[in-house]
Structures are given as C-alpha cells and as structure tokens.
Amino acid sequence: VQSAEFLSKNKFGAIIAVERSVGLRDAIETGEPLNADVSAHLINAIFWPSSPLHDMGVVIRQGRILAASVQFPLAEPGEMHDHHLGTRHRAAVGLTKVTDALVVVVSEETGTISLAENGRLTRTLSPAALDRDLTARLADTPIEPEEAPLDQPTPDQALAALETDTAIINASPNKPTKPKKPKVKAVQ
C-alpha cells in the first residue's frame, strides 16, 4: 500500500499480482525470478520508469516477490467497461478472469489506484481504501497455494521431464553405446 501511494503520486505505472490459492507458475515463468522479501523500496525500484523490469508485472506469494517483468494474460478490449484503460488494466482484468489473484494497478497516465478481482476492476481507490480492501480480501485466502515451490517441479513435471529426456536419448543418432572391443589379429 505504501508503494502504491508513492507510485500513484509520481504517476509511475505498476501492476502487482498477489497470488492466492490458484498458483501463478505459468505467469511467473515469463518473468525474471527475484525471490525477495516484499518491501515498498523494492517495488518502487522495480517500477521506476528507467528500470529494465518496470514494463510488466510483479507476482507476490506469501510475503515474497517471486518475479518481476511478468507478462499476464490480457482481457479483450471489448471486455473492458472503460475503453480508455491501457494494457496494465487489461492485464489485471485478464489475470483475475483466469485465477483468483488480487491485482493492484497504478495508472501511469492518471496515478489512479485500482484493484482487480474476479475479472472486475475497482477504480479510484485511496491508499486507505486499498489497504482496507486488500486486508479484507486476503483474510479469506488459504495460507499456502496448492503448488510446488518455484524451484521444485511437481512429481508429474519431474516424471514428464525424465520421460522426455529418455525419449531424446533413445532417438539420438549419437546415443551412447558400449565401446566395441578392438579386433586383434594374431601375428604369425
């Protein structure tokens, strides 16, 4: 909330997704991994206009910024009630249509703070209203999403990777073979 207020006052655009029970692994993998403690200073630095990470979104899980420069799915322009809203707002609505994430958006044009949930966008929130809404909506969130940590594959993913690696090795024309013993001719 402190960061949203700073970004709003300075009209620095931002999109911050807070993961809930539906994991955001697919989105996270499109970005740059951070795995850092959430802090207003770090979020402000990420969305500083000259930062290489500022153009896309941030994903937060359980008090950690997992990744920055994350691309979220976009809502279609016709799905937006206000056709003047930009890509960040479309991404917030798009992500919340396919997951249960909460997404905070700060408009680069107006500094307006918005909150997206369930494909709906609540606009023109004060920092106090954002704090109240986030606190209330996150109170119902399970503590841990049903997903493996980012750096560990699920058992199904590990099995699929092993099967893929095995298939590649078996199909390779240069697959490893047992060394042949040289034929030695007896000299008479």
Side-chain angles (χ1 to χ4, degrees), residues 4 7-12 106-113 125:
L7 296 166
S8 173
K9 284 181 180 177
N10 290 286
K11 294 187 179 176
F12 294 163
V106 178
S107 170
E108 186 174 343
E109 302 296 322
T110 64
T112 301
I113 300 171
L125 293 172

Side-chain angles (χ1 to χ4, degrees), residues 16-165:
I16 304 163
V18 180
E19 183 182 71
R20 292 161 91 181
S21 62
V22 175
L24 301 177
R25 179 183 293 272
D26 290 343
I28 290 167
E29 290 175 350
T30 69
E32 293 295 324
L34 293 181
N35 197 22
D37 290 333
V38 171
S39 76
H41 292 295
L42 180 55
I43 292 172
N44 294 346
I46 289 168
F47 290 110
W48 193 266
S50 60
S51 163
L53 302 175
H54 86 280
D55 274 335
M56 305 262 186
V58 161
V59 174
I60 295 175
R61 177 195 297 159
Q62 299 175 359
R64 309 272 310 156
I65 299 175
L66 296 185
S69 197
V70 176
Q71 183 158 358
F72 300 137
L74 297 177
E76 293 298 321
E79 296 175 308
M80 303 298 292
H81 294 292
D82 183 344
H83 299 292
H84 294 94
L85 295 175
T87 305
R88 283 188 182 93
H89 294 88
R90 287 181 53 209
V93 170
L95 182 64
T96 63
K97 287 180 76 120
V98 297
T99 72
D100 65 346
L102 288 175
V103 182
V104 177
V105 183
V106 178
S107 170
E108 186 174 343
E109 302 296 322
T110 64
T112 301
I113 300 171
S114 303
L115 182 63
E117 182 182 31
N118 297 323
R120 294 193 175 123
L121 193 63
T122 304
R123 297 192 59 217
T124 320
L125 293 172
S126 67
L130 177 64
D131 187 37
R132 180 194 66 232
D133 286 359
L134 283 174
T135 301
R137 293 174 187 188
L138 290 172
D140 296 329
T141 301
I143 292 177
E144 293 193 32
E146 297 175 20
E147 181 172 303
L150 185 60
D151 57 348
Q152 296 179 2
T154 65
D156 290 341
Q157 290 170 326
L159 181 59
L162 180 60
E163 290 170 349
T164 300
D165 290 347

